[in-house]
């Protein structure tokens, strides 16, 4: 495999070190959380000290995963805490780990493991495999390379990683290899239907009412090739929900017949300033990574995102006009 050196460097770094922070990107999803929990479990099997840390709340899809209760928030560590080693998963941009950055110092040895296109950061050791369906697929290989036999606990976490990043084995990243891995995980006793229910068919009453309101914001443009939804802070407040319960909302826009680009614009406040997080999905051949990258974001060809400063009234038109111009010429289609 062309990336074998990245994997062996990660193995060597883990073997020779101890006391790890394991983290992943903000707006965590099933892949990032499942990968973190599985790798943390494997490192503990090797007798290593590990802290699982995420800057933002774990999404519903992961709230029943084994070990999820061990995930700490960066604010729980005394000021000045710096880890000697950090493993950053499902994230090729160190700016995307949010406030977990405060647990990094100049002496922190950083290991990056990621499957996004065009990672922006390099660790002291980096292993990038954009052709992997999920970071969970890479962590599966990593755990094997570390010589730790998988058990039911780790298998459950890795199954959720793969299941969520392939959209339940529906997206174009669903390779024979990843389906074979899923089969191996099922043989270890993973409850597949339960993982699918938790990932795709579990929603609180409030979040369901919120979804109904978000769906009312649906707009289409570019002759129906572009569809978008809006989620304001006021809506989140009204239904006492937070962003971790809105995973999958954007898929309702993508499901529209004729749509090529679907977007969900979510307003949020960061350090007293308004910003807009954009989730982008492709229904067909359009590469939404190029659209996200135009605003400093990234992701994959079929699922990407970016964050723009300012209120919705400023951010939305910028993204729509870029999307329309890419759709009408100059955009990347596969
Ligand atoms: P989501 O819409 O689910 O937040 O993100 C979709 C995909 O794009 C995920 O793989 C996520 O990691 C990636 N992504 C979302 N926002 C950003 C961003 O601002 N920068 C980069 N590099 N990737 C992003
Ligand atoms: Mn991922």
């Amino acid at each position: 495999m062309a990336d074998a050196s990245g994997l062996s460097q990660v193995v060597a770094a883990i073997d020779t070190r101890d006391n790890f922070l394991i983290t992943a990107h903000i707006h965590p999803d099933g892949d990032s959380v499942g990968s973190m929990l599985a790798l943390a479990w494997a490192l503990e099997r090797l007798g290593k000290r590990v802290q699982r840390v995420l800057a933002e709340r774990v999404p519903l899809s992961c709230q029943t995963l084994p070990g999820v209760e061990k995930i700490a928030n960066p604010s729980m560590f005394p000021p000045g805490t710096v880890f000697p080693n950090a493993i950053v998963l499902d994230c090729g941009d160190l700016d995307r780990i949010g406030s977990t950055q405060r647990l990094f110092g100049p002496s922190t040895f950083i290991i990056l493991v990621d499957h996004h296109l065009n990672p922006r950061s390099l660790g002291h050791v980096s292993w990038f495999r954009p052709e992997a369906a999920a970071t969970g697929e890479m962590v599966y290989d990593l755990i094997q390379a570390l010589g730790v036999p998988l058990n039911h606990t780790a298998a459950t976490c890795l199954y959720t990683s793969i299941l969520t990043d392939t959209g339940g084995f529906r997206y174009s990243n669903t390779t024979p290899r990843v389906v074979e891995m899923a089969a191996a995980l099922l043989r270890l006793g993973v409850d597949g239907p339960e993982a699918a229910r938790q990932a795709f068919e579990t929603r609180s009453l409030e979040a369901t009412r919120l979804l109904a309101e978000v769906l009312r914001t649906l707009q289409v443009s570019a002759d129906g090739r572009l569809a978008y939804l809006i989620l304001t802070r006021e809506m989140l407040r009204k239904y006492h929900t937070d962003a971790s319960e809105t995973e999958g909302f954007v898929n309702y826009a993508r499901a529209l017949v004729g749509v090529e680009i679907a977007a969900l614009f979510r307003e949020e406040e960061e350090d007293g300033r308004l910003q807009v997080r954009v989730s982008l999905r492709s229904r067909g051949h359009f590469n939404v990574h190029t659209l996200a990258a135009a605003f400093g974001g990234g992701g994959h060809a079929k699922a990407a995102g970016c964050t723009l400063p300012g209120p919705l009234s400023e951010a939305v038109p910028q993204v729509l006009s870029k999307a329309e111009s890419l759709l009408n010429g100059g955009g990347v289609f596969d």
Side-chain angles (χ1 to χ4, degrees):
M1 229 188 281
D3 52 36
S5 73
L7 171 58
S8 56
Q9 284 174 13
V10 174
V11 170
I14 290 174
D15 275 343
T16 52
R17 291 166 182 277
D18 188 23
N19 199 2
F20 293 87
L21 160 76
I22 299 191
T23 191
H25 60 77
I26 47 174
H27 195 192
D29 57 15
D31 186 29
S32 47
V33 179
S35 299
M36 273 178 63
L37 294 178
L39 186 58
W41 168 90
L43 264 57
E44 285 177 345
R45 283 278 155 131
L46 292 169
K48 313 270 181 194
R49 284 168 293 164
V50 179
Q51 285 283 355
R52 305 140 175 88
V53 181
L54 277 177
E56 294 181 349
R57 257 187 80 178
V58 166
L60 261 181
S61 57
C62 302
Q63 282 176 9
T64 58
L65 286 182
V68 76
E69 70 287 350
K70 296 181 193 154
I71 297 178
N73 185 271
S75 63
M76 292 158 72
F77 295 87
T81 304
V82 166
F83 279 82
N85 303 291
I87 306 179
V88 181
L89 297 174
D90 201 30
C91 179
D93 181 350
L94 288 169
D95 286 340
R96 293 197 69 232
I97 60 172
S99 60
T100 307
Q101 277 171 356
R102 72 166 72 131
L103 304 174
F104 286 55
S107 61
T108 304
F109 186 91
I110 302 173
I111 300 171
L112 294 185
V113 175
D114 186 36
H115 72 131
H116 290 100
L117 290 169
N118 304 331
R120 290 164 171 246
S121 302
L122 269 186
H124 297 92
V125 168
S126 308
W127 179 34
F128 297 133
R129 221 162 78 74
E131 64 279 17
T135 299
E137 176 180 346
M138 301 174 73
V139 169
Y140 184 110
D141 289 334
L142 175 55
I143 293 175
Q144 305 249 300
L146 287 167
V148 181
L150 284 173
N151 75 354
H152 177 262
T153 300
T156 298
C157 299
L158 291 177
Y159 189 85
T160 288
S161 283
I162 292 170
L163 183 73
T164 52
D165 256 27
T166 59
F169 308 109
R170 289 173 302 165
Y171 300 158
S172 56
N173 57 355
T174 306
T175 57
R177 181 172 201 264
V178 84
V179 175
E180 278 155 16
M181 262 182 197
L185 297 171
L186 289 171
R187 275 189 212 101
L188 287 166
V190 173
D191 186 340
E194 174 55 26
R197 200 161 32 244
Q198 192 65 31
F200 306 118
E201 290 170 27
T202 299
R203 191 168 281 133
S204 68
L205 179 61
E206 283 83 6
T208 304
R209 295 209 160 110
L210 171 67
L211 171 62
E213 187 151 340
V214 170
L215 288 177
R216 277 196 293 273
T217 70
L218 180 70
Q219 300 276 350
V220 291
S221 68
D223 299 325
R225 297 163 75 199
L226 179 57
Y228 61 96
L229 296 163
I230 305 276
L231 175 53
T232 64
R233 287 180 309 151
E234 179 52 33
M235 291 178 194
L236 285 175
R237 270 197 296 271
K238 180 172 167 193
Y239 296 102
H240 310 286
T241 50
D242 74 62
S244 67
E245 293 182 77
T246 63
E247 230 188 346
F249 281 18
V250 65
N251 294 333
Y252 289 89
R254 178 178 37 199
L256 272 181
V257 174
V259 158
E260 295 193 56
I261 304 176
L264 174 88
F265 295 95
R266 178 160 63 79
E267 175 194 59
E268 62 176 23
E269 196 180 309
E270 179 95 355
D271 302 327
R273 282 190 301 270
L274 276 184
Q275 61 182 31
V276 176
R277 279 206 203 173
V278 191
S279 282
L280 297 166
R281 299 291 185 269
S282 166
R283 179 181 169 85
H285 299 290
F286 185 81
N287 182 330
V288 285
H289 177 267
T290 55
L291 176 56
F295 297 98
H300 309 283
K302 307 292 179 204
C306 53
T307 301
L308 280 79
L312 285 160
S313 57
E314 283 171 23
V316 174
Q318 286 182 59
V319 176
L320 295 182
S321 96
K322 184 73 188 172
E324 286 175 17
S325 77
L326 288 175
L327 275 174
N328 292 329
V332 177
F333 296 81
D334 62 30

